[in-house]
């Protein structure tokens, strides 16, 4: 019991130290470098949707549209899946998925799917954390297949917001890519 | 209880305590922004900046109210961390400020006013604030500068 409590304390302290070091600023990124195919004055809404899917939000009757992206510029649903290359699952005492974040897997249902069922489909977790082992992390490669190792780089990067202001002919008039944290 | 267990438990009982750690850090989450630089907000002048300018500078807002007239960006800045250690379990709480950066637009999409609202928070790691609470907290104050 003592060891377990101390492990938890050390884990929490590590979390605090990590938080101390990070200020997570909101910052603009170079959209022309991140999206060389998206050219102001040329690329149409249809072409963007072909690459990223439908926009997640629109303003001013659709003149301004935004897409939620993960750190790899892949389209992700807000909250549920800001990072589509990882799957984070918190299990309850019965080893059922209590809370899920990351990749959206239709067969994984909170409160129902068990750890054994997840492991049967995508193998053992790449990382187990929390002293009691109730939080697990799985990783995926660029093609969406389970990966044994964490994708290189961008580990601490947050989600991104791609903002496009459309002009005549629904062509991108202004493009901005913002890293949200 | 055997002597060995007693020996183990004695220092543990003495060590059971709590402590507070001061620290500053932005706590990111799926529906919260990181630290917004004051210069980014200063550059968005009421009466001059548009909705597109705000979106291009800060990205999609965390919350939108009043039929798109009010954008709210939420940053959680932690300041203190309180940890209580007990023999059987432990509890931890965070203290800090929820910072809401708010923008109000007129019917033409022009920035009409901007203001900031800070609200202290005290919660566990997963604690959050509801949209209804934020809607109430970020109502435009009388002092909010208007571009008109």
């Amino acid at each position: 019991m003592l060891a377990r409590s101390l492990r938890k304390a050390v884990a929490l302290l590590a979390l605090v130290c990590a938080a101390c070091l990070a200020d997570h600023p909101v910052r603009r990124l170079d959209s022309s470098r991140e999206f060389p195919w998206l050219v102001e004055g040329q690329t149409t809404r249809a072409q963007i949707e072909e690459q990223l899917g439908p926009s997640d939000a629109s303003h001013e009757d659709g003149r301004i549209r935004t897409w939620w992206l993960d750190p790899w510029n892949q389209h992700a649903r807000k909250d549920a899946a800001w990072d589509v290359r990882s799957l984070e699952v918190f299990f309850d005492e019965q080893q059922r998925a209590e809370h899920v974040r990351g990749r959206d897997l239709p067969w994984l249902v909170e409160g129902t799917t068990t750890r054994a069922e997840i492991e049967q489909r995508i193998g053992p977790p790449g990382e187990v954390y929390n002293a009691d082992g109730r939080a697990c992390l799985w990783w995926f490669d660029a093609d969406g297949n389970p990966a044994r190792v964490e994708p290189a780089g961008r580990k601490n990067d947050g989600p991104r917001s791609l903002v496009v202001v459309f002009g005549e002919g629904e062509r991108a008039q202004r493009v901005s890519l913002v890293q949200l944290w | 209880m055997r002597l060995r267990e007693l020996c183990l438990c004695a220092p543990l009982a003495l060590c059971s305590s709590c402590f507070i750690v001061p620290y500053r850090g932005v706590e990111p989450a799926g529906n919260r922004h990181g630290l917004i630089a004051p210069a980014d907000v200063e550059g968005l002048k009421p009466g001059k900046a548009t909705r597109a300018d705000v979106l291009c500078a800060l990205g999609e807002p965390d919350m939108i109210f009043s039929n798109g007239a009010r954008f709210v960006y939420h940053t959680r800045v932690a300041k203190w961390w309180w940890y209580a250690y007990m023999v059987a379990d432990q509890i931890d709480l965070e203290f800090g400020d929820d910072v809401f950066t708010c923008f109000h637009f007129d019917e033409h999409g022009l920035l009409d006013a901007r203001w900031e609202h800070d609200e202290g928070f005290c919660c566990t790691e997963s604690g959050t604030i509801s949209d209804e609470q934020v809607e109430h907290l970020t109502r435009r104050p009388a002092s909010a500068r208007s571009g008109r």
Side-chain angles (χ1 to χ4, degrees):
Chain A
M1 185 71 78
L2 170 64
R4 187 181 159 203
S5 293
L6 285 175
R7 273 202 306 271
K8 280 185 181 178
V10 168
L12 283 165
L13 272 173
L15 191 73
V16 169
C17 290
C20 289
L21 297 170
D23 56 0
H24 299 290
V26 172
R27 60 189 186 277
R28 293 273 295 271
L29 302 170
D30 183 353
S31 59
S32 60
R33 205 180 76 176
E34 301 277 337
F35 297 102
W37 52 268
L38 209 174
V39 183
E40 289 179 9
Q42 287 184 28
T43 311
T44 63
R45 179 160 77 92
Q47 288 170 321
I48 299 172
E49 289 186 341
E50 196 179 298
Q51 293 279 342
L52 299 174
S55 61
D56 298 295
S58 71
H59 308 273
E60 300 185 355
D61 299 322
R63 192 177 74 87
I64 311 168
R65 290 175 185 269
T66 63
W67 282 261
W68 288 97
L69 306 173
D70 78 352
W72 288 269
N73 292 331
Q74 288 187 301
H75 193 199
R77 280 192 299 115
K78 186 188 176 188
D79 299 340
W82 57 264
D83 176 359
V84 298
R85 288 206 189 179
S86 72
L87 170 71
E88 194 177 23
V89 184
F90 298 88
F91 294 98
D92 64 14
E93 286 176 355
Q94 282 76 46
Q95 291 288 300
R96 290 187 188 281
E98 190 177 29
H99 183 58
V100 180
R101 283 200 313 205
R103 193 173 192 87
D104 188 25
L105 297 168
W107 50 264
L108 177 47
V109 182
E110 286 182 3
T112 305
T113 311
T114 64
R115 180 168 173 168
E117 287 167 338
I118 298 172
E119 291 195 11
Q120 196 176 20
R121 283 178 181 263
I122 56 175
E127 193 178 314
V128 179
Y129 59 99
N130 268 17
D132 51 11
R134 277 162 59 180
C136 295
L137 198 59
W138 283 264
W139 297 300
F140 299 85
D141 62 20
D143 300 318
N145 301 312
R148 293 306 307 147
V149 292
E150 185 176 11
R154 298 184 173 179
K155 183 184 176 184
N156 296 316
D157 286 352
R160 295 156 175 218
S161 187
L162 175 68
V163 181
V164 183
V165 182
F166 292 96
E168 205 174 316
E170 287 210 309
R171 289 185 190 282
Q173 191 181 50
R174 190 174 168 189
V175 178
S176 178
L177 182 64
V178 183
Q179 176 112 356
L180 303 184
W181 45 262
Chain B
M1 195 180 278
R2 293 181 303 185
L3 182 64
R4 184 170 159 269
E5 287 166 323
L6 273 173
C7 291
L8 278 171
C9 288
L12 179 62
L14 288 171
C15 291
S16 296
S17 61
C18 71
F19 54 88
I20 292 178
V21 181
Y23 76 104
R24 181 183 169 86
V26 173
E27 193 192 74
N31 59 350
R32 284 200 288 266
H33 266 62
L35 203 62
I36 295 173
D40 287 346
V41 179
E42 283 301 314
L44 300 165
K45 305 274 187 206
K48 289 181 181 170
T50 63
R51 186 181 272 110
D53 292 333
V54 173
L55 283 164
C56 285
L58 304 176
E60 183 68 18
D62 298 302
M63 279 154 279
I64 299 174
F65 302 110
S66 308
N67 291 324
R70 192 191 335 156
F71 282 7
V72 177
Y73 294 87
H74 178 193
T75 304
R76 173 163 285 185
V77 182
K79 290 182 175 171
W80 298 90
W81 183 64
W82 178 82
Y83 179 81
Y85 168 75
M86 292 159 278
V87 175
D89 209 346
Q90 74 283 310
I91 184 170
D92 71 297
L93 289 171
E94 268 186 338
F95 299 85
D97 287 326
D98 277 320
V99 181
F100 299 102
T101 308
C102 313
F103 299 89
H104 189 274
F105 303 95
D106 67 12
E107 63 273 25
H108 305 296
L110 200 63
L111 182 62
D112 190 40
R114 63 172 157 77
W115 66 97
E116 195 175 282
H117 178 84
D118 291 6
E119 187 76 13
F121 78 87
C122 163
C123 68
T124 57
E125 191 186 340
S126 58
T128 187
I129 186 164
S130 72
D131 284 10
E132 290 75 21
Q133 284 174 291
V134 176
E135 201 280 331
H136 179 74
L137 289 169
T138 61
R139 282 187 185 154
R140 185 176 172 171
S143 57
R145 186 183 155 196
S146 176
R148 294 183 179 183

